[in-house]
Amino acid sequence: SRLLPALGNPENEDYGWDAQKVSNMLHILQLIRTLVAPTNPQQITSSCQHACKQSGVLEELEEVLLASGIPADVLTEAINTIADLIRGNNDNQDQFSSVVAPMEPVRPVLVLLLISMVNDKQPFLLRCAVLYCVQSFLYKNNVGQKSIVDSLLPQQTEQVPEGEVSSGQLLCGGLFSSDPISNWLSSVAVAQVISESPEMKEEMLRVQLATQGGNAPMSLLVQSITVIQHNAALTTRLGLLQLMCVWVANCPPAVSCLLQVEGSVNFLMAQICSNEHDDTEKVANGLCAFLLGLCILYNNNTVSGLGQEDLVTLVEKRVGADTFLDKIADIPKHEGFNKALKSPQLRSTSINELIVDNLFCTLFRSLDNEITTVIVNRKTAAIMNGNQQLDASTQNAIENYKTFIREQDCKIKDYIEANQQYDAEYRNLQARYDELNNNLQLLRDQNAILQAQAMNAATSTANLAPPEIAPTPPRPPMQYLEPPSANQTQELESLKKQVEQQEEYIQELEARLNEEPASPPPQNGFPQPELKDSQAQTVTDPKALTNEMLRNQLDVLRALIMKKDSELLKIKNEMPLHTPQERDRFEDMFKTTLEIEAEKRKKAESLEIELKEQEIERLKAMHEVELDELRKDRNKVEAQLFKVQHELDDAKQYGTQKSKEAIAALESKLLTVKTELDEVKSQEPTASAAGISAAGISAAAAQEAVNAATSQLQAQVTSLKSDLETSKVALEDLRSEQEDLLVMLSDQEEKMAEYKAKLREVQIPVSDDEDNDVDNEDDLT
């Protein structure tokens, strides 16, 4: 209800439509269209349409539609707004259909709109808006569709009063007029009438059109095919081909009627076989291929020689299946197809953009794959043709295929279950394998530790053994880990044997080193008897020899290790400087993991800082370039502003001076004429008749001179007034240009302020000179 005062009654305006009022009206209409846009959720759109009807917004817009003196752009947007308000809403559609124009004879508003659509003198955008309004009125409106179809049927055309025209007659007249735009728009409107009902398509087959020369009437479908074959206008062919595709889809009788037209199939095949390089011509050829594919898909095999299999064979022999499908694939490749698919409203600005409509795009998306299936697999479309009865062999084959598919499904399920079981077993085995690898590594580590302990014990015993050593108690047996399980590998067994052998050897060495050379240790608490010198010598010599040999080996090993250490230290000191890569490769061997990770983090941080600095430099350079461009634009706008200001001042001064001079001249002439007239009137008549007649003649001549001078002065005053009005108009234009330049300058300043704010956000300093420039610009404005 708040929008009603803004819409108002346009016929009550005293001062017409200025630029501000037009702008306000366009914004209000855009607001209403946003509420009821078809792209919104259906529930929201329906509720907004109902609210606009209850509040009277729809009624006010209908008054705007019927008013006079409305600007073309406002009227176009009002028609588009009404289309959105009535699209898919039967209540609003009924109200719209009941609106009539206040004229004689009385005509519905739909008829007036169709008259404007097929009139080539109307603006192109207005005609496109009328088409969208007609499509919205027919969308999901069975009553409206039936009324248009009934107006074309023979029994209905006789009931139309003389001098009146119906909506169906206007559409048929637009289909076959000489204007290609009217042909295309009318084709799309008729396609919307029959697109939602196969019954409407069959009823349209009964429409008969009169022909020239007194020939027999011709059906609408036959006349359309004839125009397609003989009309060279590309826009006309595109519109009628779309109408034919919508007509034959899901309508086998229409397919039969089309195939019976003489030369129709040959024309379609010729168009498909032609090689065109223009994108729009490719779309036309693709429409011919799509129309032939629909004839194959919905063929009920009633036309001899042109059944479904016959047409498929013809396509394969003359064109080829791949070429045929490529022609169909050229349709969605065009930019106009994608543009029309996005919105039900036609958004074209010229005749070159009239390619396809949203209704056809939706139909193409739904049937493209089915046509491809029929052509590639050569399968019959019995279900689509309405012939659902199949023979016994076909039924048996279908049942066999179903049984085979069920068996395959069962096998696939079994395979999936077995695969899951095998996957679980594999994961368990993988976990067991990892566990055994861990145990093996643990045993290897323990073996290495034991070997190191044995070597350390042998070395320390050889160095620290005194001449008399107390007998060491027997070494307790080594504590081994639990014996491996039966599932462990032979490598574990071999490692165990090696460890036992090394332990035995170590025990034997320790026992030899710990034996006392002079007297043996007491046994059972009683001292042993002393041996003779010969016996001691024979016992001690081998032990001493073994001990000495072990010490010599130990000394040699120590000397060798010291030598290797000195060589390693020398090589390390004499090693030259290497590149960073070689240094990292060798030096990382002596660093811990934490040090390496710290160096990596440090390098990553330095690299990130460097990248950020490079990005800041790039942004700074880019913003500098944009600022330079803005400065150039600002200087250019300022120059234009100064120029306009000077021109405005000159025009004001010139107009004022000229008007003053003209008014002064006219006033002086007027005073002179008045003075002469007073002098003539002040003269008294003489006594003689001749004198009276002469005086009368001179007075009449003076009166005529005064009248002539007065008319001349009036003409001059009128011309001066017209010049003054022209100067005022020029002055208003200059003022509007000045306002536009000021708006452009303010936009430039806002952009510069935004760029400077962005520069400050990335910590790029902005000089004071640039801020001063902004202040100077504010002073100028």
Side-chain angles (χ1 to χ4, degrees):
S1 60
R2 295 182 181 180
L3 296 175
L4 293 179
L7 295 174
N9 189 358
E11 293 185 350
N12 296 333
E13 299 293 336
D14 298 332
Y15 302 101
W17 290 76
D18 56 1
Q20 185 61 45
K21 183 179 178 181
V22 171
S23 178
N24 295 340
M25 190 67 174
L26 291 176
H27 282 84
I28 293 172
L29 296 176
Q30 286 289 341
L31 176 61
I32 298 174
R33 293 193 66 188
T34 303
L35 296 175
V36 296
T39 55
N40 295 339
Q42 182 62 33
Q43 185 177 1
I44 296 175
T45 302
S46 300
S47 58
C48 291
Q49 289 174 341
H50 179 72
C52 289
K53 179 178 180 298
Q54 294 296 328
S55 61
V57 173
L58 179 59
E59 185 177 356
E60 288 292 335
L61 290 176
E62 291 169 350
E63 292 182 1
V64 172
L65 183 63
L66 298 175
S68 60
I70 307 298
D73 51 352
V74 175
L75 182 60
T76 301
E77 193 64 23
I79 294 174
N80 288 327
T81 306
I82 293 175
D84 287 336
L85 284 171
I86 67 176
R87 184 175 180 82
N89 192 304
N90 296 129
D91 295 336
N92 293 357
Q93 290 169 348
D94 294 339
Q95 178 181 346
F96 178 76
S97 62
S98 63
V99 177
V100 294
M103 57 187 299
E104 292 295 337
V106 177
R107 290 178 176 175
V109 65
L110 181 63
V111 173
L112 294 179
L113 290 176
L114 291 175
I115 292 174
S116 300
M117 187 182 74
V118 299
N119 186 1
D120 57 353
K121 300 297 190 297
Q122 295 293 338
F124 178 77
L125 294 179
L126 178 63
R127 300 172 72 181
C128 293
V130 172
L131 173 63
Y132 180 52
C133 186
V134 173
Q135 286 179 306
S136 299
F137 172 74
L138 298 172
Y139 182 68
K140 295 182 179 180
N141 186 5
N142 296 328
V143 177
Q145 296 170 5
K146 190 175 186 302
S147 64
I148 294 178
V149 174
D150 291 342
S151 65
L152 292 172
L153 295 177
Q155 64 270 20
Q156 294 293 335
T157 55
E158 296 177 359
Q159 300 177 2
V160 177
E162 185 178 359
E164 293 188 6
V165 63
S166 65
S167 56
Q169 292 174 349
L170 288 172
L171 290 175
C172 288
L175 278 176
F176 307 115
S177 68
S178 59
D179 181 23
I181 299 178
S182 299
N183 302 149
W184 195 93
L185 298 177
S186 301
S187 300
V188 174
V190 174
Q192 185 68 49
V193 172
I194 62 177
S195 62
E196 299 177 4
S197 174
E199 291 78 10
M200 294 294 176
K201 297 178 182 180
E202 295 181 4
E203 288 291 325
M204 286 292 287
L205 294 175
R206 298 169 51 198
V207 176
Q208 300 290 324
L209 301 177
T211 57
Q212 298 177 355
N215 296 325
M218 185 180 299
S219 67
L220 178 61
L221 188 143
V222 175
Q223 182 68 20
S224 301
I225 293 297
T226 305
V227 172
I228 292 174
Q229 294 178 3
H230 299 91
N231 197 316
L234 180 59
T235 305
T236 302
R237 285 190 283 124
L238 289 174
L240 291 175
L241 284 172
Q242 291 180 78
L243 173 60
M244 291 295 101
C245 291
V246 175
W247 200 338
V248 302
N250 199 21
C251 185
V255 174
S256 300
C257 183
L258 174 62
L259 295 177
Q260 290 175 359
V261 177
E262 184 179 359
S264 59
V265 176
N266 293 330
F267 171 76
L268 295 177
M269 293 300 297
Q271 293 294 316
I272 296 170
C273 294
S274 64
N275 294 323
E276 299 292 344
H277 300 288
D278 183 66
D279 292 339
T280 308
E281 288 287 351
K282 289 182 179 179
V283 174
N285 297 337
L287 288 174
C288 293
F290 185 69
L291 178 60
L292 186 58
L294 292 175
C295 293
I296 296 173
L297 187 62
Y298 295 101
N299 195 327
N300 55 4
N301 299 321
T302 57
V303 181
S304 60
L306 293 176
Q308 189 180 57
E309 290 294 331
D310 299 329
L311 291 178
V312 173
T313 304
L314 181 64
V315 168
E316 290 180 349
K317 288 183 178 180
R318 293 189 56 182
V319 182
D322 295 337
T323 305
F324 182 80
L325 297 178
D326 290 340
K327 293 290 184 179
I328 296 177
D330 288 336
I331 299 176
K333 292 179 182 178
H334 197 277
E335 182 182 1
F337 182 90
N338 298 323
K339 186 178 179 181
L341 188 62
K342 294 179 181 178
S343 173
Q345 181 183 358
L346 180 63
R347 300 185 183 276
S348 301
T349 57
S350 64
I351 185 175
N352 296 328
E353 297 181 7
L354 295 178
I355 307 299
V356 290
D357 183 65
N358 179 266
L359 177 64
F360 172 78
C361 295
T362 306
L363 177 69
F364 181 85
R365 287 295 188 188
S366 61
L367 298 178
D368 180 26
N369 293 332
E370 297 180 6
I371 294 175
T372 303
T373 303
V374 171
I375 297 299
V376 173
N377 300 332
R378 295 179 61 89
K379 293 180 180 179
T380 58
I383 297 177
M384 293 188 178
N385 299 333
N387 183 16
Q388 300 183 0
Q389 296 180 357
L390 302 177
D391 54 2
S393 60
T394 306
Q395 288 285 357
N396 294 331
I398 292 174
E399 292 296 330
N400 293 333
Y401 278 120
K402 289 181 179 180
T403 305
F404 178 73
I405 290 172
R406 292 192 191 97
E407 293 177 356
Q408 294 295 326
D409 289 338
C410 296
K411 290 182 179 179
I412 290 172
K413 290 180 181 179
D414 296 338
Y415 290 151
I416 291 173
E417 293 177 358
N419 187 23
Q420 293 176 353
Q421 295 178 359
Y422 291 148
D423 185 54
E425 293 179 359
Y426 171 75
R427 292 179 180 177
N428 294 331
L429 292 174
Q430 185 69 26
R432 184 61 179 169
Y433 176 75
D434 295 337
E435 182 181 358
L436 292 176
N437 282 337
N438 294 333
N439 293 334
L440 178 61
Q441 187 64 33
L442 180 62
L443 291 174
R444 287 177 178 174
D445 295 340
Q446 291 178 355
N447 184 24
I449 292 171
L450 292 175
Q451 289 180 356
Q453 289 178 356
M455 293 296 295
N456 292 333
T459 305
S460 61
T461 304
N463 291 333
L464 302 177
E468 293 182 359
I469 301 176
T472 58
R475 185 180 180 88
M478 296 293 294
Q479 299 294 328
Y480 295 98
L481 296 175
E482 295 180 359
S485 61
N487 294 328
Q488 291 180 336
T489 61
Q490 292 183 356
E491 186 176 1
L492 296 178
E493 296 292 339
S494 62
L495 289 174
K496 181 178 178 182
K497 292 179 181 180
Q498 291 178 5
V499 171
E500 291 177 354
Q501 292 176 0
Q502 290 178 357
E503 287 295 331
E504 292 176 357
Y505 180 70
I506 291 170
Q507 290 178 3
E508 183 179 356
L509 291 177
E510 288 179 351
R512 291 181 181 180
L513 292 174
N514 291 333
E515 287 181 356
E516 185 178 4
S519 61
Q523 297 179 359
N524 299 326
F526 298 100
Q528 296 291 332
E530 295 182 0
L531 300 175
K532 296 181 179 179
D533 294 339
S534 59
Q535 294 178 352
Q537 185 68 22
T538 57
V539 173
T540 305
D541 289 341
K543 295 180 180 180
L545 183 59
T546 303
N547 196 2
E548 186 65 23
M549 183 176 62
L550 292 174
R551 288 192 181 92
N552 292 335
Q553 292 178 358
L554 184 59
D555 293 337
V556 171
L557 291 175
R558 287 178 177 175
L560 184 60
I561 292 172
M562 292 296 293
K563 182 178 179 181
K564 295 294 182 181
D565 289 338
S566 61
E567 291 179 357
L568 182 61
L569 182 60
K570 182 178 179 182
I571 292 171
K572 188 174 181 180
N573 294 331
E574 294 178 357
M575 185 179 298
L577 296 176
H578 298 282
T579 60
Q581 294 181 354
E582 294 178 352
R583 184 177 65 252
D584 292 341
R585 184 176 61 186
F586 289 106
E587 291 184 0
D588 287 347
M589 296 173 61
F590 303 98
K591 293 180 181 179
T592 62
T593 305
L594 295 177
E595 291 176 349
I596 294 174
E597 292 296 331
E599 288 182 358
K600 289 182 179 180
R601 286 195 299 271
K602 185 176 180 181
K603 290 180 181 179
E605 291 175 357
S606 62
L607 181 60
E608 185 177 359
I609 292 172
E610 184 178 356
L611 291 176
K612 288 183 178 179
E613 290 177 353
Q614 293 177 359
E615 183 66 18
I616 290 172
E617 291 295 332
R618 187 183 66 80
L619 291 175
K620 183 177 180 182
M622 183 176 66
H623 289 306
E624 288 294 337
V625 173
E626 292 178 354
L627 285 175
D628 292 338
E629 293 179 355
L630 289 175
R631 291 192 188 96
K632 293 179 181 178
D633 295 339
R634 180 195 63 190
N635 296 334
K636 186 177 179 180
V637 171
E638 287 180 354
Q640 293 179 358
L641 179 61
F642 290 146
K643 183 179 178 180
V644 171
Q645 287 179 350
H646 289 309
E647 292 178 355
L648 182 61
D649 295 337
D650 293 341
K652 287 181 180 178
Q653 184 177 1
Y654 177 74
T656 304
Q657 183 178 0
K658 188 175 179 181
S659 61
K660 287 181 179 179
E661 292 177 356
I663 292 171
L666 291 174
E667 289 178 353
S668 63
K669 289 182 180 180
L670 184 61
L671 290 174
T672 303
V673 172
K674 285 183 178 180
T675 303
E676 293 177 356
L677 183 62
D678 293 337
E679 290 177 356
V680 172
K681 288 182 179 180
S682 62
Q683 293 178 0
E684 296 181 356
T686 59
S688 86
I692 291 172
S693 62
I697 292 171
S698 63
Q703 185 67 29
E704 289 178 358
V706 169
N707 293 333
T710 303
S711 62
Q712 184 178 4
L713 290 174
Q714 289 178 355
Q716 291 179 358
V717 170
T718 303
S719 64
L720 288 174
K721 286 183 179 179
S722 63
D723 294 338
L724 184 60
E725 292 296 329
T726 304
S727 301
K728 287 182 180 180
V729 172
L731 182 61
E732 291 297 330
D733 294 338
L734 291 173
R735 285 179 179 174
S736 63
E737 291 179 1
Q738 184 182 9
E739 291 177 358
D740 295 338
L741 291 173
L742 289 174
V743 171
M744 292 173 60
L745 186 59
S746 62
D747 293 338
Q748 296 288 344
E749 291 174 357
E750 291 178 359
K751 289 182 179 179
M752 290 183 66
E754 291 177 359
Y755 284 127
K756 288 178 180 179
K758 290 181 180 179
L759 290 174
R760 292 190 179 97
E761 289 178 359
V762 296
Q763 299 180 357
I764 297 177
V766 180
S767 62
D768 297 334
D769 296 336
E770 297 175 353
D771 295 334
N772 293 333
D773 292 340
V774 177
D775 297 335
N776 294 333
E777 294 168 6
D778 296 336
D779 296 338
L780 289 174
T781 56

